[in-house]
Each structure stands twice: as structure tokens, then as C-alpha cells.
Amino acid sequence: MFYLSDRIPLIPDDTYHPSEEKFDYRTSVQDDYLYREPVATKSCKPVNLAQKSKDPFETITNYKVDYVLHPLEKPYVHKYEKYKASEVPFDGLTTHKISYKGLAGQPAKLAKPYQAKPHHDLPFSSTTEFQEKYQTWPLPPLFTIKPAVYVPPVEKMDLHTTTQLHYTHPNGQPARMCRSLVQFKKSTEPFTSSSTVKEDYKPWQCKRTKPIIPAPDLTCPAEPTDYSTTFQTHYTPHPLSITKSCKPRWPGLRPWTPLEAKTTYTTSYTPKGTARCLASYKEPPGFVFKGTDEIGHKFFLPVFKGECSEELEICV
């Protein structure tokens, strides 16, 4: 293990000598910028010829002077008429019943077959086939015991019990309470909440155990840290290098000239004619028919071969 102070500095030990000249804090913009005086512009705002009056302001308007107050009419209140029951009896007729007369012709006949009604006045029998065939089994009569008739006794009832008759008091008097009739005086002292358990079983004197802290691996120095690094102790500042400004000087105001909308493309461009596609010819010029394939495509070979060794074929 080694510390930062044990390292050998690689920066040369040069002493820094700051310049004694006063720094003017000037920039290229401040040197090249020319201050222009403010231009006095002519105001186009019309002159306000209206003079302010010194008289107090009157809150009278044309509306207040010319307004005529009209009397208000009483609001209309609708009065509901009391309901009077009609004396004519209700006939139950509706507009449909009165005005509807039906279609012209004979009324429709009922398509339901005629069923003759039995001409007898016998009552309807509620018996079914199930009730007639499946009768209940005969059950024997239930054996019942007739309750005896209660006859109240003629003599009066003796309300004494066996305990009252046989267990009498030895001396002929009932036993008295053994509780002493001593009157206890109420103490006005405050209540002591101490008991036998609290006096005999007192809490143990236990001490709080200290936490087990492991021993530190590094021993911190007792002296305060100076917070200085190798860079701070061995760094040598150098003087600032003043760079020369390569910015060109301002040539001044340029004369206003209109922009010529001409480019090299517009002046040197030569339009070319549209060429017809060779596949649109039945027999393209400069090509010789070679043959057709299975699908029916025609192949043509150029008459004059160029520098390329591969042949150019056209499929039509």
C-alpha cells in the first residue's frame, strides 16, 4: 500500500511569473464593433388638439336625459278553474268506437269448429283417473287415551314444605350474621399503590450491553487533514498565450445590388430529348432477333459489340 504523497511528480518544476502589465479585458467584438448613434425618427402620431376641461365631471348621459319611465303592467296570473263533475253518465264510448265503421262487406266468420256443449246440469266432478285407480290403503284407527277429568280438591292446599316442617332452628331463633359491626374510618391519605408483589419482587438491575463493533482495519491519523493533493502541490501555472485574431477587418457598408438569380446549372444545362424505349419496337433498331423462350419472351442481341465482353440482351 502506498499513498499519494509517495508518488514522484512528472510535471517539471517551473516557476510561474505572471505579467506585470495590466489586463484590459478587451475582446475582438469590442475592438471591431463600431458604435452607431441613435437615429432620430419622425413621429407620425397626430397632435391631440383636444384641451382638457377643468370643470368637474358630470355623470349625466343622453340615456339618463332622454329616458322616459313607463308604468309597469300588472303581471298576468292564471287562475285555475275548479273541477266540476259532469252530470251526464259515462257511456264508455271512444272516438274509435264512434267513427270506426269497419270494412265494407260481411263480417269475417269464425274458423273454429263448432263444439256442441253437453246439455246437463250435473256439477263438475274433480275426480281423475289417478284418484279412481290408486286408492289409499285402509289404515287402522289410532289408539288414543282419553284424558281423566280434573276434579279440584275440596280442602285448602298446605303450602308448607318438608324442610320448613322438619328442619327448625335449635334455639327457636334464626341464625345471626357473624360479621362484626365495627365501623371503619375512611382515611384521607393518598392511596399507596404498593403491594406485596411489588415489594418482594423488585426489578433486576440490568445494564445495557454495548454493541460489538469490529476493530477498524485502517488507523486514521490524529492530525487534521490538509486536503492537499499531488496536483495542487506540484502544479505550476503557466502564463496565458495570447492568440492573434485572424478575423478580417470590417470593410464597411456594401452597396445594395439586386441578387442575380442565375446559377451555373441554369447557364450550362443543355436539355436532352426523350428517348423511346427499345422494348416498344417490334424489331428494335441495332438489334438482331435471337429467339424465344418457353414463356414467349423474345430475345434480341446488339449488332455492334462494345468493349464489354458480356452480350446485351433485350427481353420483349
Side-chain angles (χ1 to χ4, degrees):
M1 183 181 292
F2 59 91
Y3 295 92
L4 294 174
S5 58
D6 298 339
R7 305 172 100 183
I8 301 171
L10 302 176
I11 303 172
D13 189 5
D14 296 335
T15 55
Y16 171 69
H17 301 285
S19 62
E20 297 179 355
E21 297 179 0
K22 190 176 181 181
F23 187 64
D24 54 352
Y25 297 99
R26 297 285 296 179
T27 60
S28 303
V29 178
Q30 293 176 355
D31 295 338
D32 299 340
Y33 177 72
L34 298 178
Y35 175 73
R36 297 180 183 179
E37 296 181 357
V39 181
T41 57
K42 186 179 179 180
S43 178
C44 299
K45 185 178 180 181
V47 183
N48 188 11
L49 302 176
Q51 296 180 0
K52 294 182 179 180
S53 177
K54 297 181 180 179
D55 298 334
F57 180 70
E58 297 179 358
T59 59
I60 298 173
T61 60
N62 296 338
Y63 180 79
K64 292 182 179 180
V65 174
D66 300 334
Y67 179 72
V68 180
L69 185 66
H70 299 279
L72 296 174
E73 297 180 358
K74 292 183 178 180
Y76 173 75
V77 179
H78 179 72
K79 294 182 179 179
Y80 295 94
E81 297 180 358
K82 293 183 179 179
Y83 174 73
K84 294 181 181 179
S86 179
E87 298 178 356
V88 181
F90 183 69
D91 54 357
L93 297 176
T94 60
T95 309
H96 181 77
K97 290 181 179 180
I98 295 171
S99 59
Y100 180 70
K101 297 180 181 180
L103 301 174
Q106 297 180 1
K109 295 181 180 181
L110 199 68
K112 187 177 180 181
Y114 176 75
Q115 292 180 358
K117 296 181 181 180
H119 299 281
H120 58 80
D121 297 334
L122 298 175
F124 178 72
S125 60
S126 60
T127 58
T128 60
E129 184 181 358
F130 182 82
Q131 292 178 352
E132 292 177 356
K133 291 184 178 181
Y134 299 95
Q135 300 292 335
T136 56
W137 295 349
L139 298 175
L142 297 175
F143 178 74
T144 56
I145 300 174
K146 294 182 179 180
V149 180
Y150 174 72
V151 179
V154 182
E155 299 177 357
K156 292 183 178 181
M157 184 177 179
D158 187 8
L159 300 176
H160 291 283
T161 60
T162 310
T163 306
Q164 292 176 356
L165 295 174
H166 296 285
Y167 296 95
T168 60
H169 299 286
N171 298 330
Q173 294 180 359
R176 296 181 180 180
M177 291 181 64
C178 299
R179 185 178 179 182
S180 60
L181 300 177
V182 180
Q183 294 183 357
F184 295 96
K185 294 181 180 181
K186 294 183 179 180
S187 62
T188 56
E189 297 179 358
F191 178 72
T192 55
S193 61
S194 62
S195 61
T196 309
V197 178
K198 290 183 179 180
E199 291 179 357
D200 297 342
Y201 298 94
K202 293 182 179 181
W204 297 348
Q205 295 180 359
C206 57
K207 293 183 180 180
R208 187 176 180 180
T209 56
K210 295 182 179 180
I212 301 171
I213 301 172
D217 297 336
L218 299 175
T219 55
C220 299
E223 298 178 358
T225 311
D226 55 352
Y227 297 102
S228 61
T229 60
T230 310
F231 182 80
Q232 293 177 355
T233 52
H234 298 284
Y235 176 71
T236 306
H238 299 279
L240 297 174
S241 58
I242 301 171
T243 57
K244 186 180 180 181
S245 177
C246 300
K247 184 179 179 181
R249 295 183 179 181
W250 186 54
L253 293 174
R254 297 179 180 178
W256 183 83
T257 53
L259 178 67
E260 295 180 0
K262 292 183 179 181
T263 60
T264 310
Y265 179 79
T266 55
T267 55
S268 61
Y269 174 73
T270 54
K272 298 179 181 180
T274 56
R276 185 178 175 183
C277 182
L278 298 175
S280 61
Y281 295 97
K282 290 184 178 180
E283 293 182 358
F287 290 88
V288 181
F289 178 72
K290 181 182 178 181
T292 56
D293 59 354
E294 298 175 356
I295 304 173
H297 292 164
K298 297 179 181 179
F299 292 92
F300 294 87
L301 290 173
V303 178
F304 303 100
K305 296 183 180 179
E307 297 178 357
C308 299
S309 59
E310 297 180 358
E311 295 181 352
L312 179 63
E313 297 183 358
I314 297 178
C315 177
V316 180

